[in-house]
Amino acid sequence: MENYKYIEILVKRPGILDCKMTQPIPCNTAYFTQAFWMPIKHQIGERVVLLIKDNRSISLVYNALAAIGDYRKMTMEQAKFCEEDSIRVFNVALRHIDNVMGFFYEDERNRIGFLDEANPIEKIVDESIQMTGRLPMQEAYFLDRYWKPKANKLHKKYKGVRFRLRFTNAGSVVTVIVEFCKEQALCRQMGIPFKEDPKKKAFLCGLATSELTEAITAAAAEYATALV
């Protein structure tokens, strides 16, 4: 196993790791699970289960059923695969958790930590929002929980226009991107160049930026409530 700054492995058993955090997880377990753990499941599937006993103690359990199916008649080859695969996915999970803890405690020079939950937005320039830090959650969680409902509302009202986000500057700047998909497609079909209407684009960017501001404020409020 690798070495981690915020995680100490106490007990290592086949398919199970019991760990102690060197610093406490500063938010409640429900928030940590939903905002930080669940969004990385696509990397490791269902092969690892995270158990958080308290903000100092966690366990990782390898799910052989998700890896090889019915393991009651496990062959030697399958047993070897599970042993090697468990080490690999445990390291992926531990790296992710250690990285998240680093953002809580800002353990590296020039590292952008999580935003100030009381004052999440530093400034707004055109369609870009500079936050006081990065979002205190995985971007996928923010997009699903806060941005997609607002984007869907805009998509229904302005059909043929797509609203999406771009994260830059280590995730601390969020920019609204407005794309005139329907108009672009029509121009391609007609063989003529597409030209954006700057006034229309500025209007739609302003609307989307306003919605994004609300989303960031709501995300910061959830984070503030989750802190312990």
Side-chain angles (χ1 to χ4, degrees):
M1 303 297 293
E2 300 176 16
N3 293 320
Y4 301 96
K5 182 168 184 178
Y6 295 99
I7 305 169
E8 179 185 352
I9 299 174
L10 299 178
V11 180
K12 181 180 177 182
R13 292 170 283 167
I16 300 176
L17 288 182
D18 293 328
C19 306
K20 177 183 177 181
M21 309 302 294
T22 61
Q23 294 286 347
I25 298 172
C27 61
N28 64 52
T29 58
Y31 183 82
F32 189 89
T33 300
Q34 291 298 319
F36 296 110
W37 174 251
M38 293 305 293
I40 71 149
K41 295 291 280 182
H42 68 278
Q43 296 181 33
I44 53 180
E46 300 297 324
R47 299 199 301 282
V48 177
V49 177
L50 171 66
L51 303 176
I52 305 178
K53 302 172 185 177
D54 53 54
N55 20 348
R56 284 279 192 175
S57 304
I58 67 171
S59 292
L60 296 178
V61 180
Y62 184 70
N63 183 1
L65 182 63
I68 62 173
D70 187 354
Y71 57 86
R72 289 173 296 182
K73 298 180 181 179
M74 186 183 297
T75 65
M76 292 294 292
E77 290 77 11
Q78 288 176 320
K80 183 178 180 181
F81 168 81
C82 286
E83 181 182 2
E84 295 174 349
D85 189 52
S86 65
I87 294 172
R88 186 183 67 81
V89 294
F90 280 165
N91 276 322
V92 172
L94 292 174
R95 278 198 302 270
H96 173 71
I97 294 170
D98 200 59
N99 189 52
V100 170
M101 293 296 290
F103 285 116
F104 278 122
Y105 291 99
E106 299 183 62
D107 62 349
E108 296 176 8
R109 294 179 62 185
N110 301 319
R111 180 176 181 138
I112 296 177
F114 292 137
L115 53 72
D116 177 354
E117 66 273 14
N119 297 289
I121 296 175
E122 187 172 294
K123 61 182 178 181
I124 301 174
V125 180
D126 299 325
E127 67 274 15
S128 292
I129 296 179
Q130 171 73 59
M131 296 181 288
T132 52
R134 61 186 298 132
L135 288 168
M137 59 190 68
Q138 294 293 97
E139 290 175 6
Y141 179 77
F142 176 78
L143 293 172
D144 286 339
R145 180 172 175 83
Y146 294 104
W147 176 246
K148 283 186 179 179
K150 292 180 176 296
N152 289 339
K153 182 177 68 175
L154 291 170
H155 292 152
K156 288 179 181 178
K157 188 172 183 178
Y158 301 99
K159 297 185 181 300
V161 180
R162 182 169 63 176
F163 299 83
R164 59 186 183 88
L165 303 181
R166 182 176 67 233
F167 293 85
T168 55
N169 194 33
S172 65
V173 176
V174 192
T175 302
V176 171
I177 298 174
V178 175
E179 298 173 332
F180 298 94
C181 301
K182 186 176 181 180
E183 293 179 18
Q184 289 176 331
L186 289 173
C187 286
R188 282 197 298 269
Q189 291 175 6
M190 298 172 65
I192 60 176
F194 169 71
K195 292 184 179 180
E196 290 181 344
D197 181 339
K199 291 184 179 180
K200 182 179 179 181
K201 184 171 184 179
F203 170 74
L204 293 176
C205 281
L207 285 179
T209 302
S210 177
E211 296 284 357
L212 176 58
T213 301
E214 291 183 2
I216 291 172
T217 302
E222 183 187 11
Y223 176 56
T225 303
L227 291 173
V228 294

